[in-house]
Amino acid sequence: MVIKNKDIAEILKISPAAVSLARNGKSGVSEQTRKQVYELLRSMENQNRKEEETGSRGSITLVMHKKSGKIIAETQFFMMATEVIQEEAQAAGYCVTIMQYNENADVNEFIKSLKGLETNGILLLATEMDVKDLDLYRDIEVPLVVLDNYYITKRQDCVAIHNVDAMFQIAEYLKRMGHTRIGFLKSKIENNNFSERYMGLQLALDSFGEVLEPKFVYKVGTEVDTVYEDMKNILMQKVELPDVLVAGNDILAIGALRALKEYGYHVPEDISIIGFDDMPVSRMMDPPLTSIRIEIKQFAICAVERIVQKIERYSFGPTTIRVGCELMIRDSVKNMNEI
């Protein structure tokens, strides 16, 4: 692919004339601009070379459908998943284009623009989507795989997290640690992952002869600050607390931990906490947070493998892939057996 001056200019926010001067070694541009042009040019040439070496078979579009934007964020999961998807697609001979929908845009116009793309397949990041949202994509004519969600009423290819298995790991660990008074931190904004984790914990506790009591289930926001404020309001009411809180994700756990500390609770001496996602910051908390680690790389690899199978017609009907998780045990859970 020919690298045009106007393409470089648009990326660097400079004029095509300045790019031309820099590429041809002429005066009239600063050394900093010349260096930026050379570095970008080298990067684009390397990208072209890789595409030629792999023999590009076409393109895959990664669509991020954000309704609130409060769940899909620049976290380790979404950033790493996007990076690995791009790497794996390129290795399979496909380039990746990223498109993003947010709630302020006209969804019908977005779908229309998506249909107009020359793409071989779509990976749809559906973390914040419900069934009605999925219906918007029903007339897409190219292969489509849903990521980070599962729709029980739809015959649709999905790559999702094994939330229920993760909750069984947590319940088994808590039983070993002697915990019976178990609570759950729910998000006020529902999505499939949060729902599966809540139901998964109920199922897991039931299998071990324990119960998730409604009085120990709390609804909080989705961001650290809103969780912190909501948890403070709960503590102000002097409600009875469980011995351990299982959070729908690490953000909920971190916000709750902040509020608990402010109200004089010690973790894990007074109350234990478990998160979900194993964000890097979780390991730096005081105490380091026990959390569920998602196999992000495996998630992204499965996504690319499935869409390529569909594109190249090595597929025999809708398939759901559940990617496993691992409980990372740290210092935020008290061993009740030692009391």
Side-chain angles (χ1 to χ4, degrees):
M1 180 180 71
V2 177
I3 302 172
K4 298 178 180 179
N5 288 345
K6 70 174 185 178
D7 296 330
I8 296 175
E10 286 178 1
I11 295 172
L12 295 179
K13 307 299 182 186
I14 59 178
S15 69
V19 176
S20 178
L21 291 173
R23 289 182 74 170
N24 292 298
K26 295 181 180 180
S27 60
V29 294
S30 68
E31 285 304 309
Q32 181 181 359
T33 299
R34 195 184 307 279
K35 183 179 178 182
Q36 288 176 330
V37 170
Y38 283 165
E39 288 177 349
L40 180 57
L41 184 61
R42 191 178 303 113
S43 175
M44 294 172 78
E45 287 173 343
N46 288 338
Q47 182 68 24
N48 280 350
R49 193 176 300 112
K50 288 178 181 178
E51 289 179 3
E52 290 171 0
E53 289 172 355
T54 58
S56 181
R57 299 178 182 179
S59 66
I60 294 169
T61 302
L62 173 60
V63 176
M64 298 184 176
H65 189 110
K66 296 185 178 182
K67 288 178 70 176
S68 67
K70 293 181 179 179
I71 300 174
I72 298 178
E74 292 184 4
T75 61
Q76 180 193 27
F77 176 82
F78 296 111
M79 292 174 68
M80 184 174 175
T82 300
E83 182 180 333
V84 177
I85 283 171
Q86 290 174 310
E87 291 173 355
E88 292 297 315
Q90 187 176 42
Y94 294 87
C95 62
V96 175
T97 301
I98 299 175
M99 290 186 67
Q100 183 171 296
Y101 166 78
N102 63 70
E103 63 178 349
N104 295 322
D106 185 320
V107 67
N108 294 316
E109 285 298 318
F110 178 79
I111 297 296
K112 184 178 178 181
S113 66
L114 194 59
K115 289 179 179 179
L117 286 180
E118 292 186 7
T119 187
N120 298 87
I122 293 173
L123 291 172
L124 176 59
L125 185 60
T127 310
E128 298 185 359
M129 292 172 54
D130 57 28
V131 173
K132 291 181 180 179
D133 298 318
L134 183 63
D135 286 339
L136 296 167
Y137 293 83
R138 65 181 177 274
D139 295 328
I140 298 290
E141 295 181 354
V142 297
L144 184 146
V145 175
V146 167
L147 305 183
D148 201 30
N149 209 330
Y150 170 71
Y151 303 93
I152 194 168
T153 60
K154 299 290 183 181
R155 297 188 72 250
Q156 177 66 58
D157 285 88
C158 299
V159 178
I161 300 163
H162 206 325
N163 292 303
V164 174
D165 174 70
M167 286 298 149
F168 268 81
Q169 291 184 51
I170 289 174
E172 184 178 14
Y173 172 63
L174 291 178
K175 183 177 182 181
R176 292 202 311 269
M177 298 294 279
H179 285 275
T180 56
R181 290 160 41 85
I182 298 165
F184 188 78
L185 277 178
K186 292 183 70 174
S187 165
K188 289 179 179 178
I189 298 179
E190 289 287 352
N191 77 351
N192 189 64
N193 282 329
F194 288 141
S195 296
E196 286 189 348
R197 290 166 196 174
Y198 176 57
M199 290 186 290
L201 184 59
Q202 288 179 307
L203 286 170
L205 292 177
D206 182 65
S207 73
F208 292 125
E210 302 292 345
V211 176
L212 181 59
E213 295 187 49
K215 67 178 180 180
F216 291 148
V217 177
Y218 312 100
K219 284 192 174 184
V220 293
T222 57
E223 299 165 306
V224 171
D225 288 342
T226 57
V227 176
Y228 163 70
E229 293 296 336
D230 288 337
M231 194 66 200
K232 279 205 306 180
N233 289 333
I234 292 167
L235 296 173
M236 284 174 60
Q237 298 172 31
K238 300 186 183 301
V239 298
E240 182 184 1
L241 294 177
D243 294 326
V244 57
L245 275 173
V246 179
N249 65 17
D250 282 352
I251 291 174
L252 272 58
I254 291 167
L257 178 60
R258 180 180 160 195
L260 286 163
K261 281 189 171 184
E262 188 171 305
Y263 271 74
Y265 290 89
H266 296 89
V267 176
E269 292 83 2
D270 300 323
I271 186 168
S272 300
I273 300 183
I274 295 180
F276 199 116
D277 285 342
D278 195 32
M279 296 170 63
V281 68
S282 302
R283 302 160 215 171
M284 297 180 282
M285 298 302 296
D286 180 23
L289 185 65
T290 294
S291 184
I292 289 287
R293 175 177 293 174
I294 302 167
E295 297 297 338
I296 305 173
K297 187 170 183 178
Q298 186 61 35
F299 177 92
I301 290 171
C302 288
V304 174
E305 286 181 348
R306 187 58 190 150
I307 193 64
V308 169
Q309 287 173 353
K310 289 177 69 66
I311 290 170
E312 299 180 1
R313 304 190 186 284
Y314 301 129
S315 174
F316 302 94
T319 298
T320 297
I321 300 169
R322 289 285 187 174
V323 178
C325 307
E326 182 181 0
L327 180 64
M328 308 306 296
I329 297 172
R330 299 193 180 95
D331 301 328
S332 63
V333 177
K334 181 178 181 178
N335 188 344
M336 304 294 282
N337 300 313
E338 295 178 354
I339 297 176

